[in-house]
Amino acid sequence: MRALKLIAALFVVLGLVACGGDPKFRTYNGPEVTKVVVYKDARKMQLFHHGKILKTYDMAMGFAPEGHKQFEGDGKTPEGLYYIDRRNPRSRFHLSIGISYPNKADIAYAKARGKEPGGEIFIHGRSGYNGGNKGDWTWGCIAVTDREMEEIYSMVRDGTPIHIYR
């Protein structure tokens, strides 16, 4: 009888562990992130609650860091005001949240020059990056560590403004 109770308890524990979910999805119960600010020259990203800095992260970005993203494949990270507009829990770079680039002005600028503006700009982790470059290496995205991305993914909501400065 005692052996049956031990086996039953073991199955209950294993069942609870199996239901624990993916550890990369964290919860956040702190102050609302009201804006994200990126300083390209300093390679810093900050999360704000109104005027208060909640977190600061070191980051990597597009492999051609100077200037505003204008065309597909230029390796630049956009500059200006955008919004977090989507989430990708199955990103090849761990987790990612989308930035609303290109906006109408970006599209018009590229089209007037007979080019495509590009897109698919995200804040993401580093899993899946196998290159040797420890500096800027993305095609225009903003990259942080996987652990930091888990935190950012839990804190930043769709619709949050992101200001990207040179």
Side-chain angles (χ1 to χ4, degrees):
M1 183 69 167
R2 187 167 189 206
L4 286 175
K5 285 183 182 179
L6 282 172
I7 291 172
L10 180 64
F11 277 113
V12 168
V13 169
L14 289 174
L16 290 173
V17 169
C19 294
D22 192 328
K24 73 181 179 181
F25 297 108
R26 298 185 191 187
T27 57
Y28 173 71
N29 296 316
E32 174 190 11
V33 175
T34 56
K35 72 178 173 181
V36 177
V37 177
V38 171
Y39 300 98
K40 290 171 52 173
D41 284 351
R43 306 300 192 275
K44 299 284 184 194
M45 179 172 60
Q46 296 179 321
L47 307 184
F48 283 82
H49 173 70
H50 300 293
K52 181 182 178 203
I53 298 170
L54 297 173
K55 294 294 257 187
T56 300
Y57 302 94
D58 292 325
M59 53 166 241
M61 58 187 172
F63 63 81
E66 298 300 319
H68 172 59
K69 182 166 192 61
Q70 296 176 324
F71 309 117
E72 184 173 40
D74 65 7
K76 297 182 183 300
T77 300
E79 295 173 0
L81 172 61
Y82 296 93
Y83 295 89
I84 301 303
D85 66 352
R86 61 201 180 280
R87 310 175 93 59
N88 184 357
R90 293 181 186 87
S91 171
R92 88 176 227 219
F93 297 108
H94 193 57
L95 293 170
S96 62
I97 56 176
I99 298 172
S100 63
Y101 176 89
N103 60 28
K104 289 180 183 178
D106 297 320
I107 294 167
Y109 182 87
K111 293 290 184 193
R113 284 147 187 82
K115 296 187 176 189
E116 293 296 321
E120 299 299 311
I121 302 297
F122 288 86
I123 300 170
H124 60 66
R126 295 179 190 252
S127 289
Y129 173 62
N130 296 320
N133 184 356
K134 301 297 184 215
D136 297 323
W137 56 272
T138 76
W139 284 88
C141 295
I142 295 164
V144 295
T145 68
D146 289 351
R147 187 131 176 94
E148 290 169 336
M149 191 61 228
E150 291 169 8
E151 186 174 75
I152 293 164
Y153 195 90
S154 73
M155 294 175 74
V156 178
R157 300 286 164 241
D158 290 358
T160 303
I162 178 168
H163 302 264
I164 306 172
Y165 300 108
R166 181 173 46 94

